[in-house]
Amino acid sequence: MGDADFIDLSILLERIRTQAGTENIRVTQHAQQEMVEENIILDEVLEAIATGQIIENYPEHRRGPCCLLNGLTQQGRPIHIVCTTAQPVLIIITTYEPKPPKWITPTQRRQ
């Protein structure tokens, strides 16, 4: 990843945090279902966004630019959030706790 990529991700992350901080968000039905199944509340999603980093960026996604964030709640619980990056409203597409077998660590996928 080059310096330009890092700067672009920093700008994206700042936009996402601003949208989340002003609660300019929409949670999809899929994300709501995942939150119920994983016992994640909206406040935890907002905490994870506030502390999170973009670990995967999908600028050319078929449904529109989005990214995968990894962040921690105030209790230290890791949470992943897939959200839009180019909409006037932050759309939370899905959220879940990264865990095996799919994830080795919160930032490392199993091959």
Side-chain angles (χ1 to χ4, degrees):
M1 188 178 323
D3 288 343
D5 294 330
F6 180 76
I7 292 167
D8 289 347
L9 291 182
S10 296
I11 292 167
L12 288 178
L13 185 58
E14 188 59 37
R15 180 185 309 140
I16 291 165
R17 286 182 175 161
T18 298
Q19 289 173 317
T22 60
E23 295 191 20
N24 185 20
I25 61 172
R26 192 187 81 174
V27 180
T28 65
Q29 185 175 0
H30 174 73
Q32 290 173 343
Q33 290 170 337
E34 289 292 314
M35 289 169 68
V36 168
E37 290 173 16
E38 300 254 350
N39 198 26
I40 298 170
I41 61 172
L42 184 58
D43 283 348
E44 290 177 309
V45 173
L46 297 176
E47 291 167 8
I49 291 171
T51 65
Q53 295 298 316
I54 296 173
I55 59 174
E56 295 178 6
N57 187 28
Y58 317 116
E60 304 295 327
H61 193 276
R62 63 186 169 85
R63 293 188 180 160
C66 57
C67 69
L68 172 62
L69 287 167
N70 174 58
L72 297 174
T73 67
Q74 288 181 349
Q75 284 71 40
R77 179 183 185 191
I79 293 183
H80 279 183
I81 300 116
V82 176
C83 61
T84 57
T85 58
Q87 297 291 325
V89 172
L90 180 65
I91 301 171
I92 307 296
I93 299 165
T94 194
T95 184
Y96 57 90
E97 187 172 340
K99 48 192 165 192
K102 191 172 186 174
W103 293 91
I104 297 169
T105 70
T107 59
Q108 184 180 10
R109 281 186 193 267
R110 186 165 306 283
Q111 295 298 326

